[in-house]
Amino acid sequence: MSVASVRRAARESVSGLPREFWWLWTTTLINRLGIFVSIFLTLYLTVDQGYSASYAGLVAALHGLGSVVSSLGAGVMTDRLGRRPTLLIAQTSNALSVALLAFVQGQVAIAAVAFLVGMASNASRPAVSAMMADIVPTADRVRAFSLNYWAINLGYALSSVAAGLIAQYSYRAGFLIEAAMTLVCALVVFAKLPESRPTAGPAGPAAAKDTPSVSLGTVLRDGRFMGVVGLSFLLAVIFLQSSVALPVAMSRSGFSTSDYGLTMAVNGVLIVALQIPVTRFIEHRDPRRLLIASALLAGYGMALTAFAGSVALFMLTVAVWTLAEIVNSPTQMGLVVRLSPVEGRGRYQGMFTLSWSAAALLAPLTSGWVIDTFGPRTLWAGCAAVGTVAALGYWLLMRSLPAEDQGPSGARGTARPATTRPADARRAQAAPQ
């Protein structure tokens, strides 16, 4: 492929998206560039503060529990208060709580603040996803979610290196840098991002009275959507084995922590290198086939770990399930938006976020028990079984998936936000549904 072809492909990958999307994308990148707590919380507690591993595990669990609690609450806030206010509240609260964690002392105080950090750090996710769905035309959403996911992984890869260097100097400095960068995100939202929540429609407030309200009960009664949430949970449990079971399995096989770090580097490198070109390939293909294939790749890719006996083979297994991750993430996010009514996007996104937060709590408990009781090979075989169940679930759920509706603001996934600029409105009207 020539240099001109590469440039043209890159230009086509990023062209045509609204200006507001790029400001939102920028906040994602800044946020992930400054991440520190989730990477080094356990080491901070055990190495710097001298607490036991069991206490560090308890604090990490409370941090995860905070994420679970905020998933639904932030979704409700996104619908009631709006996307922009929720982002400002979440990011400001996150900055303050992370800064507080840098100075707080005592086991109870640290555990309580870690819980608050978990809540605040996860609270912006439903608002970001809902705003992205509001401002990006339907035909471009898979590409937009893919670019956002690429920013997450690029920022995480760079921040992991920087955070390691900072930790050698001062853990407190790492916390304060994360707090400062999160505050920068809030300032970008305040200065550059208008509210994107769709209005009631051309009929104004009178029409809103006829629009059915969306509550958390509505989301829970939406069988097809909750099925997607359940399948997302299953895949999250598989993917999280990379940070839960894989290091344990490699350690028991005599591999060092540097071997594990080198193996996991494959994940970040491949996502940064392949996310955009793979998205160009899958953007307009059948989402059902993509989700089924990604579920099988995830389950059996992780199961191949049972046969890995060298770092090179471990890296190969990572490459397989990373491809599943690259395909699944933007495709599934597009499906979530497609199944979400416009007036309930925040609650729907919050419920979807909950699937990953719950998996982050359950995966360490179940995988550790399976490894200790039955051995790692049983766990890897279980990953293949879970991937097969998820693939079957996608096939069943999407057999009769309706075409995307075209209609008023109550229609799923089609209404234009009040802040859409005229040029973007034309693109939205012209985009195939």
Side-chain angles (χ1 to χ4, degrees), residues 25-388:
W25 182 90
T26 300
T27 66
T28 297
L29 182 60
I30 294 173
N31 180 269
R32 301 306 288 185
L33 283 172
I35 196 167
F36 187 90
V37 172
S38 65
I39 299 176
F40 284 101
L41 179 60
T42 300
L43 288 176
Y44 166 69
L45 293 173
T46 56
V47 176
D48 189 73
Q49 296 295 304
Y51 291 113
S52 66
S54 59
Y55 172 74
L58 172 63
V59 173
L62 287 172
H63 182 273
L65 181 61
S67 297
V68 171
V69 172
S70 68
S71 296
L72 298 180
V76 174
M77 287 175 59
T78 298
D79 285 336
R80 288 189 175 180
L81 298 181
R83 285 62 159 143
R84 185 172 181 265
T86 302
L87 281 173
L88 290 172
I89 292 171
Q91 291 171 346
T92 303
S93 300
N94 191 29
L96 293 175
S97 60
V98 169
L100 181 60
L101 187 62
F103 296 98
V104 72
Q105 297 293 321
Q107 291 187 343
V108 175
I110 289 175
V113 174
F115 175 77
L116 294 177
V117 171
M119 287 185 64
S121 63
N122 198 50
S124 61
R125 292 180 183 177
V128 168
S129 297
M131 179 176 278
M132 202 169 296
D134 293 339
I135 63 182
V136 176
T138 303
D140 295 328
R141 281 183 187 146
V142 170
R143 181 160 56 102
F145 282 120
S146 178
L147 287 167
N148 193 65
Y149 192 65
W150 182 80
I152 289 173
N153 284 278
L154 176 63
Y156 188 86
L158 295 175
S159 68
S160 297
V161 177
L165 297 175
I166 294 169
Q168 293 179 359
Y169 168 71
S170 169
Y171 283 91
R172 178 174 293 175
F175 289 128
L176 294 178
I177 290 172
E178 176 172 346
M181 296 189 75
T182 305
L183 193 59
V184 169
C185 292
L187 293 174
V188 172
V189 171
F190 180 79
K192 296 296 184 179
L193 284 173
E195 177 57 56
S196 69
R197 183 172 54 173
T199 57
K209 297 178 181 178
D210 299 325
T211 302
S213 60
V214 176
S215 65
L216 288 177
T218 307
V219 183
L220 291 171
R221 290 190 296 271
D222 190 334
R224 188 192 299 273
F225 180 80
M226 290 305 299
V228 172
V229 172
L231 295 174
S232 173
F233 171 80
L234 293 180
L235 285 181
V237 169
I238 294 175
F239 287 131
L240 287 170
Q241 299 309 319
S242 62
S243 59
V244 174
L246 181 58
V248 174
M250 291 186 69
S251 175
R252 289 192 175 188
S253 298
F255 293 95
S256 66
T257 54
S258 61
D259 291 332
Y260 169 70
L262 183 63
T263 299
M264 282 305 299
V266 174
N267 176 253
V269 169
L270 286 182
I271 290 177
V272 171
L274 298 181
Q275 183 72 65
I276 294 177
V278 169
T279 299
R280 283 176 53 80
F281 177 76
I282 68 173
E283 188 172 1
H284 300 296
R285 283 173 166 76
D286 183 1
R288 179 176 65 174
R289 294 181 179 179
L290 294 174
L291 290 171
I292 291 173
S294 66
L296 293 174
L297 278 174
Y300 287 89
M302 196 66 72
L304 287 174
T305 308
F307 305 100
S310 66
V311 172
L313 289 177
F314 277 115
M315 293 170 72
L316 179 61
T317 66
V318 171
V320 175
W321 57 256
T322 296
L323 181 59
E325 188 179 356
I326 291 171
V327 172
N328 181 269
S329 179
T331 307
Q332 186 160 247
M333 287 301 300
L335 177 62
V336 168
V337 173
R338 184 173 178 179
L339 295 177
S340 306
V342 171
E343 68 276 11
R345 274 181 181 155
R347 289 174 173 85
Y348 273 71
Q349 291 290 347
M351 186 64 72
F352 176 73
T353 302
L354 180 64
S355 66
W356 276 85
S357 299
L361 275 180
L362 183 65
L365 300 176
T366 56
S367 61
W369 176 79
V370 171
I371 289 176
D372 289 339
T373 306
F374 303 104
R377 285 184 174 270
T378 301
L379 178 67
W380 305 130
C383 288
V386 172
T388 302

Side-chain angles (χ1 to χ4, degrees), residues 134-141 406 414-417 420-433:
D134 293 339
I135 63 182
V136 176
T138 303
D140 295 328
R141 281 183 187 146
Q406 300 183 39
T414 57
R416 294 191 306 275
T420 300
R421 292 175 291 121
D424 299 329
R426 287 194 296 273
R427 280 196 294 268
Q429 288 174 330
Q433 299 298 308

